[in-house]
Amino acid sequence: MLPEKDPKRQGEKDPKEDPSVALFREYLRIKTVQPEPDYDTAIKFLERIASELSLQCQKVEVCPGRVITILTWKGTNPQLRSILLNSHTDVVPVFEEYWDHDPFSAFKDAEGNIYARGAQDMKCVSIQYIEAIRRLKAEGRHFPRTIHMSFVPDEEIGGHKGMEMFVKRPEFATLNVGFALDEGLANPTDTFTVFYGEKCPWWIKVKVEGNPGHGSRFIENTAAEKMHRVITSFLEFREREKQRLKSEKHLTLGDVTSLNLTMLNGGISFNVVPSEMSAAFDIRIPPTVDLKAFEEQLTAWCRAAGEGVTYEFHQKYMDQSVTSTEESDPWWKAFSGTCRDMNMKLKCEIFPAATDSRYIRAAGHPAIGFSPMNHTPVLLHDHNEFLNEQVFLRGIDIYAHLIPALASVLPLQAEA
């Protein structure tokens, strides 16, 4: 049973609470949880913010019920390529029985920890963008490059009805994106993690056919025998990659191929040997891996298992674009230089899963995954997800420095 709910859940204002924190908690209470996210309320919330900050607000319906909301702060030289600050509005499901507080009450404890689904992934970043721009506008600042904030749906289920479709639309092209920021991960140390690329997600279903019969007999070439060989090949590879990650200390999860058996199906009765079985695998492949050679390996494993073994892709992402982290790159120089000026320690990695950044990079635009959360355990998709309010407020300060630096990058050669 959950403890008594936060009395401020209904939107009561605490006069002592920082207004940015209050806004963050208000956004967390909007139940944009999959599989039925309340996108309409989120859009109304963003429209209100646009009005408060005198920002242009554009809504692009990429498919029925799936709207991209873009808030725009026009630059003094709008012909220059823009800065895109991207975030997603949906959050993953919860198992409330495992939470100490209602996951949609945005409960804040005595230490300032705010518990809610989306506290880390990634409603914090959305509000940090907004509050940084609120601060910069209040200071009377202006920048050469236009700044867009995009709020997209369905990232948590692959972005197929969100950013993946949006980057192909003319409305995205008119944003004239030069550089994008998107989500990253928390870091439990004093370091901030920065992601310059992502793994390619491959979802594969292997189907095997074999001889059926009565469960009392030793039947040859059964589907189960072939499936055993398939699973053994796949999971032995998984173990090799797991051991490589453990033994080579310089590697991170983003540097190795992860593979997991996620579904296993087959059979109709205890006493019937089935003629068909299937297994689903979630594979995440780093950009250093030759994708053609890796698929040839998958084919070889299935061929070695016997006749009647085939596979099909339910997701096959092939773009391996990465963003430059060379100091000669003007975007990275502006980002990393600003962080150094703020005495922030950065660690560059390949993102171990997948975000909407992959669609932005595939469209030809450099993108960095970054959520300014250090001294914070990684709790996205976990029970009791939380973010401390001081970490959240520090993130606003960080964006209030990063946004001016990026929006003031001198015209590039391609823009001359």
Side-chain angles (χ1 to χ4, degrees):
M1 179 180 294
L2 297 174
E4 185 177 352
K5 296 181 180 179
D6 182 1
K8 298 181 180 58
R9 176 170 183 172
Q10 302 304 320
E12 299 173 19
K13 299 289 185 179
D14 179 354
K16 297 180 181 179
E17 185 171 63
D18 187 289
S20 298
V21 174
L23 189 69
F24 176 38
R25 297 175 72 195
E26 180 185 351
Y27 190 35
L28 288 169
R29 292 177 183 123
I30 302 175
K31 295 187 71 171
T32 51
V33 58
Q34 295 287 357
E36 296 182 359
D38 181 7
Y39 287 137
D40 289 342
T41 301
I43 291 169
K44 291 175 183 176
F45 173 85
L46 295 169
E47 288 176 321
R48 189 191 88 205
I49 297 298
S51 177
E52 288 177 3
L53 299 183
S54 299
L55 298 174
Q56 298 175 16
C57 182
Q58 180 184 13
K59 293 182 290 183
V60 181
E61 189 171 34
V62 294
C63 66
R66 296 298 179 261
V67 174
I68 312 288
T69 307
I70 306 123
L71 307 189
T72 297
W73 186 9
K74 194 172 182 180
T76 58
N77 190 354
Q79 287 73 36
L80 295 177
R81 291 178 181 170
S82 67
I83 305 303
L84 179 66
L85 308 175
N86 184 63
S87 63
H88 61 83
T89 53
D90 61 323
V91 299
V92 295
V94 297
F95 299 94
E96 291 201 22
E97 63 271 24
Y98 295 106
W99 284 67
D100 294 333
H101 308 283
D102 183 333
F104 298 102
S105 71
F107 178 88
K108 184 169 69 172
D109 67 16
E111 286 73 44
N113 296 318
I114 299 168
Y115 292 85
R117 177 58 87 216
Q120 292 188 15
D121 183 18
M122 64 172 297
K123 289 185 173 181
C124 55
V125 173
S126 302
I127 303 302
Q128 286 165 337
Y129 290 156
I130 289 167
E131 292 302 278
I133 286 179
R134 187 192 302 274
R135 182 183 303 179
L136 294 168
K137 286 179 70 71
E139 293 171 355
R141 305 282 296 277
H142 297 281
F143 309 105
R145 296 180 185 273
T146 293
I147 300 163
H148 302 290
M149 290 184 286
S150 53
F151 303 86
V152 302
D154 280 19
E155 189 275 345
E156 295 292 6
I157 54 174
H160 307 302
K161 294 182 179 180
M163 184 59 81
E164 185 177 21
M165 298 184 74
F166 183 44
V167 297
K168 300 171 185 175
R169 296 277 298 239
E171 293 92 342
F172 181 84
T174 61
L175 297 182
N176 193 27
V177 174
F179 183 82
L181 290 178
D182 199 359
E183 67 180 315
L185 293 174
N187 190 315
T189 74
D190 63 347
T191 299
F192 294 87
T193 314
V194 177
F195 298 97
Y196 62 94
E198 298 187 4
K199 292 181 175 181
C200 289
W202 284 14
W203 293 351
I204 296 174
K205 177 176 282 189
V206 179
K207 296 181 179 180
V208 300
E209 297 178 352
N211 294 327
H214 196 274
S216 64
R217 302 175 59 205
F218 285 113
I219 298 165
E220 298 293 332
N221 294 319
T222 63
E225 291 172 295
K226 297 175 186 180
M227 180 58 75
H228 178 261
R229 297 181 197 121
V230 168
I231 291 174
T232 297
S233 294
F234 277 64
L235 294 190
E236 283 180 348
F237 170 80
R238 179 186 188 274
E239 184 61 24
R240 290 194 297 272
E241 289 293 281
K242 180 181 175 183
Q243 292 306 318
R244 190 162 71 91
L245 177 61
K246 286 184 177 180
S247 62
E248 300 181 35
K249 299 302 182 184
H250 67 284
L251 296 180
T252 68
L253 183 57
D255 297 317
V256 300
T257 300
S258 62
L259 183 153
N260 282 289
L261 171 61
T262 54
M263 290 187 287
L264 192 61
N265 294 291
I268 56 173
S269 175
F270 275 103
N271 63 343
V272 176
V273 175
S275 61
E276 295 181 355
M277 298 186 76
S278 68
F281 296 92
D282 182 346
I283 309 173
R284 309 296 176 105
I285 311 167
T288 51
V289 172
D290 183 324
L291 296 180
K292 182 175 182 294
F294 187 77
E295 185 170 358
E296 289 172 354
Q297 180 65 76
L298 297 179
T299 302
W301 288 336
C302 291
R303 187 185 302 117
E307 295 184 356
V309 180
T310 60
Y311 66 85
E312 62 184 24
F313 284 96
H314 286 242
Q315 182 174 189
K316 186 183 184 183
Y317 197 76
M318 297 294 289
D319 188 272
Q320 294 182 297
S321 300
V322 296
T323 297
S324 174
T325 55
E326 298 293 329
E327 287 299 324
S328 59
D329 182 87
W331 299 114
W332 176 251
K333 184 178 181 180
F335 181 92
S336 61
T338 302
C339 291
R340 279 195 302 270
D341 291 343
M342 299 184 73
N343 297 315
M344 295 168 57
K345 294 198 300 185
L346 302 181
K347 184 180 180 183
C348 295
E349 296 184 12
I350 295 295
F351 198 81
T355 73
D356 281 338
S357 292
R358 68 189 189 275
Y359 301 124
I360 298 171
R361 293 190 191 99
H365 310 289
I368 288 292
F370 174 69
S371 294
M373 299 180 288
N374 65 347
H375 299 294
T376 302
V378 180
L379 293 171
L380 78 167
H381 299 198
D382 206 343
H383 314 309
N384 292 316
E385 179 183 353
F386 76 87
L387 184 64
N388 185 271
E389 65 179 338
Q390 294 306 316
V391 175
F392 167 76
L393 290 170
R394 175 81 197 287
I396 297 172
D397 292 334
I398 291 169
Y399 283 123
H401 285 79
L402 282 174
I403 291 170
L406 293 168
S408 300
V409 167
L410 296 173
L412 308 180
Q413 187 174 1
E415 298 171 314

